[in-house]
Amino acid sequence: MNLFAKVRLHGSHDIHAHFQDISTSFVTLVRCMTGEGWNEIMHSLAKDARYRGSFAKEPCIDEMAVTSDNFDMLQAKCLTTFPIQCGAIGWGGWSHFYFLSYTLFITFVV
């Protein structure tokens, strides 16, 4: 959940499918487990700063670190409620790796 919690909502990664709280994260993973749009969520979470700034016109920041020093400032700007981190965190394939391995694991277990 922490890997994608601060990613800006976009596309199918929206208010109904996100990883910002436990209950919606669980529902999102169940939704992905049933095959309902998991690849769309995966691609939405993989969008980098170039895509978000150039095509979507939604600027984002590469790494949104929330610490005790900057928490009050981020909360005052509503960035704890509506985070604006880019989807491609560090290595851009984290969402692809996570969702493909999750889908393979669930396929063999269930």
Side-chain angles (χ1 to χ4, degrees):
M1 182 175 123
N2 193 29
L3 184 63
F4 303 118
K6 297 178 279 186
V7 177
R8 176 176 231 152
L9 301 180
H10 174 76
S12 59
H13 175 243
D14 58 5
I15 194 75
H16 303 291
H18 59 78
F19 295 94
Q20 294 174 358
D21 58 57
I22 295 289
S23 59
T24 311
S25 299
F26 180 74
V27 171
T28 302
L29 289 177
V30 169
R31 175 181 165 181
C32 293
M33 182 174 62
T34 62
E36 181 65 34
W38 68 270
N39 58 337
E40 295 169 358
I41 296 172
M42 174 185 71
H43 289 297
S44 292
L45 288 169
K47 303 296 185 194
D48 59 355
R50 186 177 68 85
Y51 172 83
R52 294 206 187 255
S54 300
F55 302 113
K57 304 295 185 211
E58 297 174 339
C60 62
I61 55 177
D62 289 328
E63 185 69 32
M64 189 175 147
V66 179
T67 62
S68 60
D69 297 332
N70 68 358
F71 180 78
D72 293 330
M73 185 262 310
L74 292 173
Q75 191 170 23
K77 294 182 178 182
C78 293
L79 294 177
T80 55
T81 308
F82 304 105
I84 58 168
Q85 181 172 296
C86 299
I89 307 160
W91 172 59
W94 279 120
S95 67
H96 293 96
F97 175 76
Y98 176 80
F99 279 96
L100 289 174
S101 60
Y102 176 77
T103 302
L104 286 173
F105 178 74
I106 290 300
T107 300
F108 289 118
V109 170
V110 177

